[in-house]
Amino acid sequence: MPKLSNMSYKNQRILIIFLFSLVPVVLLLTFSYLPVFKMFQYSFTSWNGLSKNMEYIGFDNYKTIFTKPEYFAVFKVSLYYFFATFIQMGLALYFATILSFNVRLKNWFKGILFFPTLLNGVAIGFIFLFFFKPEGTLNTILDLLGLGALQQKWLLNPQLINISLAFASVWRYMGMNFIIFLGAISSIGSDIYEASEIDGANRWHQFRHIIIPSIKRILQLNLILAVSGAIGVFEIPYVMTGGSNGSGTFVIQTVDVAFKYSKLGLASAMAVVLLGIVVLVTILQRILIKEEK
Amino acid sequence: MKKTKAVTGLTALTLMAGLFSGCASNNNNATNSAATNTGGNTGTAAGATAAPGGDAAKDIKGDITVITQRTDIVDTVFKDYAAKFNEKYPDVKVNFEALSTYEDQIKIRMSTSDYGDVLLLPTSVAIKDLPDFFEPLGKKSDLEQQYTGLEERTVDGISYGIPITVNFSGVIYNKQVFKDAGVSEIPRTFDQFSAALKSIKEKTDAVPLYTNYAAGWTLTQWEADLATVAGDREYVNIGQVASDDNFVPGQPHYELYKVMYDAAKDGLIEEDPTTTDWESSKADLANGKIGTMMLGSWAIGQIKGLAANPDDVGFMPFPTNADKILVPLSDDYNLGVSIHSKNKEAARAWVDWFINESGYPTTEGGGMSPVKGAELPEILKQFAGTDITFDTLAPAKAGEEGWVDAIDKEAEIGLWQPDFKKVIIEAAIGNRKQSYDDIMKELNDKWKAARAKIVTAK
């Protein structure tokens, strides 16, 4: 039985580090890497999700996806979320900037803005279902404000449904971006502000020439995250409409293929394709951002 | 990050379905594909657990877990069942487990070996895979002396499940609403039916036809009426797979969903389909705020239970232009025994007792008993002596078993899924540019391509 105290300090360190990192690494392998590996494996089969036997069919699933345009038609819906992303970032940056200066009830506002992030996505889906109902919250409020003429059937009108859903999505994810921006802005030293004020800069100048350049990296990161998110939109439309009435997204379609039509192999291939698209978009963004420099 | 979203989403799905189905016996009728095996499975009758008889009953011991979809009565009615069961089998301890979204949850559990002793055979499991998960209950040729409806869950002549009840499908309507609208005759043809809906719209405040679009699964109930429209018990499993053109004018599918499309187009459905609510729709139908809903017999009991005057709730066959009116009888869920059960004899005893002696099929199940020679439910006695016949669907031809289901899944049509029904309603209310014929043509093309693939593959 070797004792820990008999080992050299260096070896002790290695052992401790190894033991401590064992737990997260095992969790990561079990719940992230193994499922992804399995997903790649399934994507080459015609497995139905339950059968004892799996038939390997090579690249047939991928052929099916790329030869049927209707599988990609749903990406039109992602465009709504893509544009909503910019509104989301704009709002988050706006609130973060304002709240980084001295405002009354600063912490209370921070709490309010961050709160949606803490809620469960399913709960948010149900909240917004009530919000958008014909006799729901939104139409009632419009009525109270005397804007009854603006009342709409938010989830019935095919022109509005995706805008309504994207709005719910913005409400949900903005808090996260906001907090990240706030943290980044807080790291700017106050002496820079003071110096700029002596030089006669107003708030807008400070924002434009101090804040934006200082948080450029974070801005890029948030943008990449948000765009990948827009491609993989799932829970809000799934919970609220189940993807009906033209609000289906690629991920909803994948889930349907897997669980409604029992084509787990094909659905895995779709998931792999989605992963590929996200990776591509991310690389593209990085390249574009680099060129600007 | 992405993965957690997907997981949350799945949970959402479960929750949603749970909410919408609530306490309903949310039974999507098993796809009416008479089922036997075409693949390479080896189900033998050798291991079939026989039902014990006579004094042997006293010797059966053990604990069994029965998994049910009836969350609403698991703690009440089922407890009484267990007590009665114990009078006959004193040494068997029965535990119950109720799953709110049965189909989704059981499928996940079936990838382990822990899915109870007695359970309902999930409709989403391919028929040819049944022998991997369930105990054989006996040869079909022996069992069919006693039960009907075995063909749906039989592989190679061996049966793996017995239906918990046999459903009939059609239109559940409110008699008072029809009376107020001045409709005295039960509509028979499509024209009479749409005229009746229009009278309801004109003369009453009731919604003529409530689609239950939002819940989704409720729309799948229409598919059960296909045989009525065809007027032929052989159409569903034999006629359909023999044809490339099932969604063209004049064909049963086209005519069936035309009823849905026309009603939606003429404003004879609820005002905003996207926000319908299944639970309250039952009460609304019971109390005259809704005229008709397309459902199976399993819903009749639930709706009557909510009615101020239960006699107002009536059943009629789906409209048809066929010469004779056929109301199809189809299996509800089938009950079977897990292959991993530790007490197979006790489990089998429960299956037999539940179907023969508990009274569930007619009382709680709301349909007909699968036991041969059982009498018709009360609500059907009005049709005795008329030209309306009740009959099971003809099973598929030998060698074509399960084809309807296979073609359907391959084509991603979803005969028993809400998707294309939702599209039809969306198009009818003007949310989509497609016409009814466009939708049907698309389905027909899908069917054709998938049929070519399945039929040539066999």
Side-chain angles (χ1 to χ4, degrees):
Chain A
M1 181 73 203
K3 274 205 179 128
L4 198 61
S5 51
N6 295 345
M7 294 161 100
S8 72
Y9 173 71
K10 195 171 152 223
N11 285 348
Q12 279 187 32
R13 234 183 81 190
I14 291 172
L15 184 74
I16 298 276
I17 289 174
F18 175 76
L19 284 178
F20 270 85
S21 46
L22 194 65
V23 177
V25 169
V26 164
L27 286 175
L28 185 72
L29 286 176
T30 320
F31 293 105
S32 261
Y33 285 36
L34 183 70
V36 169
F37 171 75
K38 280 289 202 194
M39 182 176 87
F40 275 96
Q41 189 193 335
Y42 295 151
S43 72
F44 295 107
T45 68
S46 60
W47 192 45
N48 66 8
L50 209 61
S51 239
K52 297 278 185 222
N53 44 3
M54 266 188 229
E55 219 180 306
Y56 282 85
I57 52 169
F59 282 92
D60 276 10
N61 286 328
Y62 292 95
K63 271 187 209 137
T64 310
I65 296 171
F66 287 113
T67 49
K68 282 196 180 163
E70 60 258 39
Y71 284 126
F72 287 102
V74 282
F75 275 116
K76 283 205 295 280
V77 176
S78 286
L79 288 177
Y80 285 95
Y81 294 90
F82 179 74
F83 288 119
T85 295
F86 293 101
I87 296 170
Q88 181 178 320
M89 304 283 287
L91 281 172
L93 193 55
Y94 172 76
F95 285 121
T97 312
I98 291 203
L99 290 178
S100 63
F101 299 128
N102 279 327
V103 188
R104 243 175 250 160
L105 294 177
K106 199 157 124 175
N107 286 336
W108 186 72
F109 278 118
K110 279 184 203 168
I112 293 246
L113 287 169
F114 186 64
F115 176 67
T117 313
L118 304 172
L119 286 180
N120 172 318
V122 180
I124 291 178
F126 281 113
I127 292 169
F128 276 96
L129 263 183
F130 279 104
F131 186 75
F132 287 127
K133 267 193 172 169
E135 302 83 39
T137 324
L138 182 55
N139 282 346
T140 318
I141 291 174
L142 287 176
D143 217 22
L144 286 176
L145 296 175
L147 298 170
L150 288 178
Q151 286 189 358
Q152 299 283 351
K153 292 204 167 54
W154 301 99
L155 295 179
L156 184 67
N157 185 331
Q159 270 88 40
L160 283 175
I161 180 167
N162 285 318
I163 296 171
S164 306
L165 294 176
F167 171 80
S169 203
V170 166
W171 185 86
R172 165 153 203 215
Y173 290 107
M174 194 198 81
M176 199 68 205
N177 291 341
F178 159 77
I179 284 291
I180 295 173
F181 283 141
L182 194 69
I185 293 172
S186 316
S187 66
I188 304 169
S190 57
D191 45 350
I192 303 183
Y193 289 126
E194 281 166 24
S196 68
E197 269 168 26
I198 291 166
D199 289 340
N202 62 16
R203 285 279 186 242
W204 167 248
H205 291 140
Q206 286 182 347
F207 175 75
R208 173 82 189 68
H209 298 286
I210 299 171
I211 294 180
I212 291 283
S214 317
I215 62 163
K216 202 165 175 176
R217 278 258 155 247
I218 301 288
L219 208 60
Q220 289 166 8
L221 173 81
N222 255 342
L223 201 66
I224 288 176
L225 283 177
V227 171
S228 322
I231 296 169
V233 176
F234 175 68
E235 61 202 309
I236 296 263
Y238 198 84
V239 171
M240 288 178 67
T241 62
S244 55
N245 204 5
S247 63
T249 66
F250 191 76
V251 184
I252 291 181
Q253 201 180 14
T254 307
V255 169
D256 281 353
V257 168
F259 299 102
K260 277 185 177 165
Y261 306 115
S262 298
K263 294 183 181 174
L264 216 105
L266 181 62
S268 298
M270 286 166 84
V272 172
V273 169
L274 184 72
L275 185 70
I277 291 172
V278 171
V279 169
L280 261 177
V281 168
T282 311
I283 292 172
L284 204 69
Q285 277 183 307
R286 301 230 43 153
I287 292 170
L288 287 178
I289 288 165
K290 273 215 175 74
E291 275 176 1
E292 280 174 18
K293 279 185 184 158
Chain B
M1 187 78 202
K2 201 143 263 106
K3 205 150 266 113
T4 41
K5 276 190 196 165
V7 171
T8 338
L10 279 180
T11 328
L13 156 77
T14 320
L15 274 174
M16 285 281 283
L19 272 172
F20 283 135
S21 53
C23 292
S25 74
N26 175 4
N27 41 15
N28 313 326
N29 279 330
T31 326
N32 297 327
S33 49
T36 35
N37 177 25
T38 44
N41 256 307
T42 49
T44 53
T49 337
D55 292 339
K58 292 273 180 283
D59 305 336
I60 294 181
K61 288 190 182 56
D63 283 15
I64 54 169
T65 302
V66 176
I67 303 185
T68 168
Q69 88 287 25
R70 295 300 297 268
T71 42
D72 50 337
I73 52 172
V74 67
D75 293 327
T76 52
V77 181
F78 276 57
K79 285 275 184 293
D80 299 344
Y81 287 161
K84 288 207 187 76
F85 179 75
N86 283 141
E87 288 169 16
K88 194 169 172 184
Y89 302 98
D91 297 332
V92 180
K93 187 168 180 308
V94 187
N95 305 305
F96 295 107
E97 220 179 297
L99 305 180
S100 59
T101 46
Y102 186 80
E103 201 65 31
D104 301 329
Q105 294 187 40
I106 202 74
K107 224 174 133 175
I108 294 164
R109 280 181 59 172
M110 278 173 64
S111 52
T112 69
S113 62
D114 170 30
Y115 47 96
D117 297 289
V118 178
L119 68 157
L120 307 160
L121 277 53
T123 49
S124 48
V125 174
I127 308 299
K128 63 176 168 41
D129 292 336
L130 289 176
D132 294 338
F133 299 98
F134 296 96
E135 261 316 276
L137 299 179
K139 281 203 177 81
K140 177 169 168 267
S141 51
D142 299 339
L143 284 173
E144 64 189 0
Q145 312 294 330
Q146 199 181 347
Y147 303 110
T148 54
L150 295 170
E151 50 285 319
E152 290 186 20
R153 293 287 177 270
T154 292
V155 183
D156 289 342
I158 311 290
S159 296
Y160 290 87
I162 300 169
I164 51 172
T165 179
V166 178
N167 285 313
F168 47 93
S169 296
V171 186
I172 300 181
Y173 70 108
N174 186 302
K175 291 177 184 165
Q176 192 56 48
V177 172
F178 271 62
K179 209 178 280 170
D180 294 345
V183 183
S184 51
E185 289 256 314
I186 288 187
R188 245 190 99 129
T189 64
F190 294 127
D191 295 336
Q192 288 168 351
F193 187 73
S194 80
L197 292 185
K198 285 191 178 111
S199 314
I200 294 174
K201 171 100 177 168
E202 279 161 27
K203 295 178 186 155
T204 69
D205 296 334
V207 175
L209 171 82
Y210 196 80
T211 64
N212 259 315
Y213 168 100
W217 62 267
T218 38
L219 293 169
T220 64
Q221 300 286 312
W222 288 66
E223 188 65 26
D225 300 318
L226 182 66
T228 309
V229 178
D232 173 9
R233 68 186 289 263
E234 297 198 334
Y235 177 73
V236 175
N237 294 319
I238 300 172
Q240 254 194 131
V241 289
S243 164
D244 261 341
D245 294 320
N246 287 319
F247 299 89
V248 295
Q251 285 296 317
H253 262 127
Y254 185 95
E255 301 299 329
L256 169 68
Y257 290 105
K258 192 87 169 78
V259 175
M260 184 189 273
Y261 181 84
D262 288 345
K265 197 168 176 65
D266 298 341
L268 302 170
I269 59 165
E270 62 271 15
E271 190 194 3
D272 180 0
T274 49
T275 48
T276 57
D277 176 38
W278 159 246
E279 284 305 325
S280 55
S281 76
K282 288 187 287 187
D284 288 348
L285 178 65
N287 300 314
K289 288 185 193 144
I290 291 174
T292 63
M293 296 207 281
M294 308 297 168
L295 292 169
S297 53
W298 53 269
I300 295 173
Q302 296 181 39
I303 294 168
K304 276 185 183 248
L306 296 166
N309 178 10
D311 290 342
D312 281 350
V313 181
F315 170 86
M316 63 169 133
F318 196 86
T320 177
N321 286 344
D323 303 336
K324 60 169 190 157
I325 297 192
L326 164 79
V327 175
L329 299 174
S330 56
D331 286 10
D332 198 307
Y333 270 120
N334 274 244
L335 200 60
V337 176
S338 160
I339 204 161
H340 300 288
S341 168
K342 300 254 187 315
N343 295 303
K344 284 174 184 156
E345 280 195 341
R348 178 62 202 267
W350 174 267
V351 171
D352 286 319
W353 183 88
F354 185 77
I355 286 165
N356 287 291
E357 296 176 48
S358 71
Y360 178 93
T362 45
T363 51
E364 302 295 340
M368 291 167 52
S369 169
V371 181
K372 284 204 166 153
E375 67 172 279
L376 279 183
E378 204 58 44
I379 199 158
L380 294 187
K381 289 187 179 158
Q382 56 170 326
F383 298 117
T386 59
D387 62 345
I388 294 172
T389 50
F390 290 81
D391 202 350
T392 51
L393 301 175
K397 281 189 187 151
E400 296 184 358
E401 294 92 346
W403 278 18
V404 178
D405 193 38
I407 296 172
D408 176 41
K409 286 211 165 74
E410 175 59 41
E412 291 177 28
I413 289 173
L415 294 175
W416 293 91
Q417 298 288 353
D419 304 44
F420 80 77
K421 291 87 172 167
K422 285 193 164 184
V423 171
I424 289 171
I425 294 173
E426 286 155 18
I429 57 179
N431 275 10
R432 284 174 182 266
K433 291 191 179 65
Q434 293 159 292
S435 69
Y436 182 69
D437 285 330
D438 294 342
I439 297 168
M440 284 290 140
K441 184 177 179 316
E442 197 178 309
L443 292 176
N444 207 47
D445 293 345
K446 281 182 176 176
W447 177 273
K448 205 180 250 177
R451 182 172 173 266
K453 208 166 167 178
I454 298 288
V455 174
T456 51
K458 302 291 175 196

